[in-house]
Coordinates of all heavy atoms in Angstrom, one line a residue:
H444 N 102.9 91.3 108.7 CA 104.2 91.6 109.2 C 105.0 90.3 109.1 O 104.5 89.2 109.3 CB 104.0 92.0 110.6 CG 105.3 92.6 111.3 ND1 106.2 91.7 111.9 CD2 105.8 93.8 111.4 CE1 107.2 92.5 112.3 NE2 107.0 93.7 112.1
N445 N 106.3 90.4 108.8 CA 107.1 89.3 108.6 C 107.1 88.3 109.8 O 107.0 87.1 109.7 CB 108.6 89.7 108.4 CG 109.5 88.5 108.1 OD1 109.2 87.6 107.3 ND2 110.6 88.4 108.8
W446 N 107.1 88.9 111.0 CA 107.1 88.1 112.2 C 105.8 87.2 112.3 O 105.9 86.0 112.5 CB 107.2 89.0 113.4 CG 107.3 88.2 114.7 CD1 107.5 86.9 114.9 CD2 107.1 88.8 116.0 NE1 107.5 86.6 116.3 CE2 107.2 87.8 117.0 CE3 106.8 90.1 116.5 CZ2 107.1 88.0 118.3 CZ3 106.7 90.3 117.9 CH2 106.8 89.3 118.8
T449 N 105.7 84.5 109.4 CA 106.6 83.4 109.4 C 106.4 82.6 110.7 O 106.1 81.4 110.6 CB 108.0 83.9 109.3 OG1 108.3 84.9 110.3 CG2 108.3 84.4 108.0
G515 N 109.1 89.7 121.3 CA 110.2 90.3 120.4 C 109.7 91.5 119.7 O 108.7 92.1 120.1
G516 N 110.4 91.9 118.7 CA 110.0 93.1 117.9 C 110.7 94.4 118.5 O 111.0 95.3 117.8
S517 N 110.8 94.4 119.8 CA 111.7 95.5 120.4 C 112.2 94.9 121.7 O 111.7 93.8 122.1 CB 110.9 96.8 120.7 OG 109.9 96.6 121.7
K518 N 113.1 95.5 122.3 CA 113.9 94.9 123.5 C 112.9 94.7 124.7 O 112.3 95.7 125.1 CB 115.1 95.8 123.8 CG 115.9 95.3 125.0 CD 116.9 94.2 124.6 CE 117.7 93.7 125.8 NZ 119.1 94.1 125.8
A538 N 112.5 86.5 120.9 CA 112.8 86.4 119.5 C 113.2 87.7 118.9 O 112.8 88.8 119.5 CB 111.6 85.8 118.7
F539 N 114.0 87.7 117.8 CA 114.2 88.9 117.1 C 114.1 88.6 115.6 O 114.1 87.4 115.2 CB 115.6 89.5 117.4 CG 116.7 88.7 116.9 CD1 117.2 88.9 115.6 CD2 117.3 87.7 117.6 CE1 118.3 88.2 115.0 CE2 118.4 87.0 117.1 CZ 118.9 87.2 115.8
G540 N 114.0 89.6 114.8 CA 113.9 89.3 113.4 C 113.8 90.6 112.6 O 113.8 91.7 113.2
M541 N 113.7 90.5 111.3 CA 113.6 91.7 110.5 C 113.0 91.3 109.1 O 113.2 90.2 108.7 CB 115.0 92.4 110.3 CG 116.1 91.4 109.9 SD 117.7 92.0 110.4 CE 117.7 91.8 112.2
A542 N 112.2 92.2 108.5 CA 111.6 91.9 107.2 C 112.7 91.5 106.2 O 112.4 90.7 105.3 CB 110.8 93.1 106.7
C546 N 116.3 86.0 111.4 CA 115.5 86.0 112.6 C 116.1 85.0 113.6 O 116.8 84.0 113.2 CB 114.1 85.7 112.4 SG 113.6 84.2 111.6
Q562 N 118.1 87.5 123.1 CA 117.0 87.7 122.2 C 116.8 86.5 121.2 O 115.8 86.5 120.5 CB 117.0 89.0 121.5 CG 116.5 90.2 122.4 CD 117.4 90.5 123.5 OE1 118.6 90.8 123.4 NE2 116.9 90.4 124.7
D622 N 121.5 97.5 113.8 CA 121.3 97.2 115.2 C 122.7 97.0 115.9 O 123.6 96.4 115.3 CB 120.6 95.8 115.3 CG 119.1 96.0 114.9 OD1 118.5 97.0 115.4 OD2 118.6 95.2 114.1
F634 N 120.5 92.3 122.0 CA 120.3 93.6 121.4 C 120.7 94.7 122.4 O 120.2 94.7 123.5 CB 118.9 93.8 120.9 CG 118.7 93.1 119.6 CD1 118.7 91.7 119.5 CD2 118.5 93.9 118.4 CE1 118.6 91.1 118.2 CE2 118.3 93.3 117.2 CZ 118.4 91.9 117.1
K639 N 120.8 102.9 113.5 CA 120.0 103.5 112.4 C 119.0 104.6 113.0 O 118.7 104.5 114.1 CB 119.2 102.4 111.8 CG 118.3 101.5 112.7 CD 117.8 100.3 111.9 CE 117.2 99.3 112.9 NZ 116.9 98.0 112.3
N643 N 111.7 102.7 117.5 CA 111.0 101.5 117.7 C 109.9 101.7 118.8 O 110.2 101.6 120.0 CB 112.0 100.4 118.1 CG 111.3 99.0 118.0 OD1 110.1 98.8 118.2 ND2 112.1 98.0 117.8
K648 N 108.0 100.3 113.7 CA 109.2 101.0 113.4 C 108.8 102.3 112.7 O 108.0 102.3 111.8 CB 110.1 100.1 112.4 CG 110.2 98.7 112.9 CD 110.8 98.6 114.3 CE 111.0 97.2 114.8 NZ 110.0 96.2 114.7
Ligands
J2J170 C1 115.3 94.5 120.1 N1 115.1 94.9 118.8 C2 114.4 94.1 118.0 C3 114.2 92.4 119.8 C4 113.3 93.1 116.4 C5 110.7 88.2 114.2 C6 110.7 89.2 115.3 C7 110.6 90.5 115.0 C8 110.6 91.0 113.7 C9 110.6 92.5 113.4 C10 110.6 90.1 112.6 C11 113.9 92.8 118.4 N2 114.9 93.3 120.6 N3 113.8 91.2 120.3 O1 110.6 90.4 111.3 O2 110.7 87.8 111.9 C12 114.2 95.4 115.9 C13 115.6 95.5 115.3 C14 115.4 94.9 113.9 C15 114.0 95.5 113.6 C16 113.3 94.8 112.5 C17 110.7 88.7 112.9 N4 113.3 92.2 117.4 N5 114.0 94.2 116.7 O3 110.5 93.2 114.4 O4 111.2 94.3 110.2 O5 116.0 96.8 115.3 O6 110.9 92.9 112.1 O7 116.3 95.4 113.0 O8 109.5 95.0 112.0 O9 113.3 95.4 114.8 O10 111.9 95.2 112.5 P1 110.8 94.4 111.6

Side-chain angles (χ1 to χ4, degrees):
H444 188 275
N445 184 49
W446 181 17
T449 51
S517 71
K518 180 83 181 251
F539 71 88
M541 47 207 74
C546 60
Q562 278 68 60
D622 291 311
F634 278 68
K639 56 189 167 192
N643 190 330
K648 314 303 180 314

